[in-house]
Amino acid sequence: MMLTTRRTAILLSLTTLAACSSGGDSNDSAAPGDNGGPPTVSDVVMAPAGDITHYGAVTVADDAGQASDLVGSFHRLSSGVSEDFMRTMLSGDTAMCQVQDDGVIDFEEISAAFVPTVPGIGKSGVSAGSAIVLTSPDGTYATLEEQPAAGFLFYDLPDMTMLMAGSVPAGLQVDVPGSSEIPAFAGAAVPDITTLENAEFGGGDGISGSTTFTWDASDDPGAMIRIFSSTAGGFFLEDGVTVTCVTPDTGSFSFPADVRAELGNDFAGSAPLMSRIVVNPVQVDSTFLYVIRESFR
């Protein structure tokens, strides 16, 4: 058995983060594919309107092939979003970036495992039932319990519970019991993934706006690479920011011009989290569940 140290270290920061939060505005930027880069979501700073009112995510992650993180969360959107957009925004065809005031606490400051946001649309956490169960062909793999903390509502392993050592088993399925706001999801498949290897960011201990990120590309259908970094020094700095990008799994990525401009010439980011993600979007009525398989470098 092993404890997922990545998640534990981040969760220990909850009290400090909540105390230091100063608020602020976020900016969702479509990442243009300059210099022959990945395709883009043209001018998407706000998701188009539609009938989807809720979404959730359950993320199963490994670190160098060894099971490391499990997390879930569910949200009510502040306004309805297009069904087509929700189905395709993490399909692996486009790149999107978000630059955000570091005083704005989001799930990436709480758990390293990926929980997507919808561009330009506010959200609030809601319950999806008391527990989420992940099942493998050999039986129950893990149970995630509802846990409120620092103004967030998320699903995590119970206190003092550890993940089984070894790789994430193949054939995992997710069952969500549902609530008054979230419908039940039964047998939602966790996608397969290729372990992320040789992820690099140009050497050194951190990044700048001109950093080029490289990795060994995979043939996983719909795979994307997620990159997350905060200003070195983080929320202790008055003008700190975080930057998150998801980009098609082509083997290389550089921040597009509009993101570099927003970061500024003096941006000095901490060593980034880099991971590969593959997403299975499952819709029931007006709710999408993103079942996410993630592999960290």
Side-chain angles (χ1 to χ4, degrees), residues 30-40 95 97 209 252-261:
D34 49 3
N35 300 319
T40 67
C97 290
S252 67
F253 175 76
S254 298
F255 292 123
D258 60 338
V259 175
R260 293 196 301 269

Side-chain angles (χ1 to χ4, degrees), residues 16-43:
T16 305
L17 282 165
C20 293
S21 176
S22 60
D25 296 328
S26 65
N27 178 59
D28 292 297
S29 301
D34 49 3
N35 300 319
T40 67
V41 176
S42 300
D43 301 323

Side-chain angles (χ1 to χ4, degrees), residues 80-199:
V81 172
S82 161
E83 176 183 324
D84 287 342
F85 181 85
M86 294 293 285
R87 181 177 294 107
T88 61
M89 76 169 183
L90 296 171
S91 64
D93 294 331
T94 58
M96 289 191 294
C97 290
Q98 180 186 63
V99 178
Q100 190 173 55
D101 183 328
D102 206 29
V104 178
I105 304 171
D106 211 336
F107 257 90
E108 283 165 312
E109 282 77 33
I110 295 174
S111 171
F114 179 58
V115 175
T117 59
V118 180
I121 307 296
K123 65 180 185 294
S124 53
V126 296
S127 174
S130 60
I132 296 169
V133 178
L134 287 86
T135 306
S136 78
D138 294 327
T140 299
Y141 176 66
T143 299
L144 306 181
E145 294 184 351
E146 189 177 69
Q147 299 192 36
F152 290 88
L153 182 64
F154 61 99
Y155 289 81
D156 197 1
L157 292 171
D159 292 342
M160 307 307 293
T161 299
M162 294 178 285
L163 281 173
M164 288 184 286
S167 59
V168 175
L172 278 180
Q173 294 187 335
V174 175
D175 291 299
V176 177
S179 67
S180 59
E181 292 207 50
I182 301 294
F185 290 83
V190 177
D192 295 328
I193 200 168
T194 300
T195 300
L196 179 63
E197 295 182 340
N198 295 320

Side-chain angles (χ1 to χ4, degrees), residues 252-277:
S252 67
F253 175 76
S254 298
F255 292 123
D258 60 338
V259 175
R260 293 196 301 269
E262 186 154 11
L263 290 172
N265 294 331
D266 297 329
F267 174 70
S270 58
L273 288 177
M274 293 181 65
S275 64
R276 172 174 288 122
I277 59 171

Side-chain angles (χ1 to χ4, degrees), residues 56 74 174-178 182-188 282-285 287-289:
F74 292 81
V174 175
D175 291 299
V176 177
I182 301 294
F185 290 83
V282 183
Q283 182 182 2
V284 174
D285 300 329
T287 299
F288 265 91
L289 170 64

